[in-house]
DNA sequence: CACTAAATGTAATGTTATTACATAATATAT
DNA sequence: ATATATTATGTAATAACATTACATTTAGTG
């Protein structure tokens, strides 16, 4: 949270109470959370909240890199660990939906180099890899 | 198409006219296509088609690996190139939605090894990487 | 042919995300 | 300090993506 505030300060971005609420809700989970699930939680704080309320707050947080969108799950997770760099992998368990973030220069560079050979410039944000976690394999 | 038929034969899977239609529609595009866009096209061949018609055909084709689901676009693309192995990368242009498939052992192995260190077993299907293609950067 | 399993038809509904426009709050310039 | 512009939020409706449930048809098997 502290870091988020500083980041907003630096960028001249307004971390309003609403946006802060959404971010804090997200921080309470250690897995990606769907927008409508987040909306349900937000409603207990702000009865007026509507889908667009959540999506707008998420867009703001995504732009800052405080939150990742996990395409494979249509869900969102607070970014952990690497506050300055979001270029690792995120491993997603197909079964339990848990995710692990992994910042690994080697993997990342390998991917980016291969992409570059085909003229692609890869953006920010981690690469999503679907798999099965240790727990769910047992 | 030839290859698809053989694959179905081998697996004892029934490539029915409907499934064939869907697959052929997909082959006409060189980019991922949404299910409802596909549905519109399918309707000109089969007026009775409904959303579930398309989704069922896609599920069948996905199981066989003839088609990939591109999570980042909520869309589907016919698999090109590596008919026996689907473990490369798919690069997706955020701007024009074009995709390029890239089978690269090195990248793939690097990703899988890193995942394995965290207890993750990665499944089939390519890893999606979002970026910007050469054309859209110009 | 009778039976079973697989595929498709049909309708409804669930889930995720966006658009459009109104209102309120905040920042900026005068 | 006040008017103006910009940014944020409220409110309603709808669009886009996907699944469930159940009926019917078609294809495979004894």
């Amino acid at each position: 949270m502290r870091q988020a505030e500083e980041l907003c300060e630096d960028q001249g971005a307004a971390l309003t109470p609403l946006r802060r609420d959404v971010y804090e809700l997200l921080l309470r989970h250690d897995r990606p959370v769907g927008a409508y699930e987040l909306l349900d939680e937000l409603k207990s704080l702000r009865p007026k909240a509507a889908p667009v309320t959540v999506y707008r707050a998420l867009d703001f947080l995504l732009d800052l890199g405080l939150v990742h969108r996990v395409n494979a799950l249509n869900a969102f997770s607070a970014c952990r660990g690497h506050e300055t760099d979001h270029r690792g992998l995120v491993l997603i368990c197909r079964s339990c939906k848990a995710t692990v973030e992994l910042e690994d220069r080697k993997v990342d560079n390998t991917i980016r180099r291969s992409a570059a050979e085909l003229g692609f410039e890869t953006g920010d944000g981690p690469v999503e890899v679907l798999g099965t976690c240790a727990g769910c394999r047992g």
Side-chain angles (χ1 to χ4, degrees), chain A residues 99-119:
Chain A
T99 61
V100 180
E101 285 186 55
L102 164 64
E103 187 167 8
D104 183 324
R105 281 266 144 249
K106 191 169 120 205
V107 178
D108 189 68
N109 286 334
T110 308
I111 291 171
R112 280 167 210 283
R113 205 174 310 119
S114 292
E117 280 168 20
L118 291 173

Side-chain angles (χ1 to χ4, degrees), chain A residues 86-87 112 121-126:
Chain A
H86 309 273
R87 308 197 131 196
R112 280 167 210 283
E121 193 167 88
T122 61
D124 289 345

Side-chain angles (χ1 to χ4, degrees), chain A residues 6-108:
Chain A
E6 278 165 25
L7 180 62
C8 289
E9 187 103 7
D10 291 352
Q11 313 249 335
L15 186 60
T16 62
L18 171 61
R19 289 162 175 176
R20 176 186 293 262
D21 284 348
V22 171
Y23 184 54
E24 284 180 347
L25 287 173
L26 224 31
L27 280 172
R28 289 191 196 150
H29 296 274
D30 61 349
R31 59 172 176 88
V33 183
Y36 280 73
E37 187 179 348
L38 221 42
L39 175 58
D40 281 344
E41 296 177 1
L42 185 62
K43 273 182 175 161
S44 64
L45 300 172
R46 297 171 175 269
K48 293 181 200 166
V52 75
T53 312
V54 170
Y55 281 103
R56 286 198 283 226
L58 288 171
D59 283 344
F60 172 86
L61 297 166
L62 286 165
D63 281 347
L64 288 170
L66 289 170
V67 164
H68 297 311
R69 180 186 158 79
V70 181
N71 289 315
L73 302 176
N74 290 334
F76 304 84
S77 65
C79 177
R80 259 111 190 160
H82 39 76
E83 296 302 333
T84 56
D85 186 320
H86 309 273
R87 308 197 131 196
L89 296 183
V90 50
L91 304 171
I92 305 159
C93 178
R94 283 182 213 273
S95 176
C96 70
K97 315 305 183 198
T99 61
V100 180
E101 285 186 55
L102 164 64
E103 187 167 8
D104 183 324
R105 281 266 144 249
K106 191 169 120 205
V107 178
D108 189 68

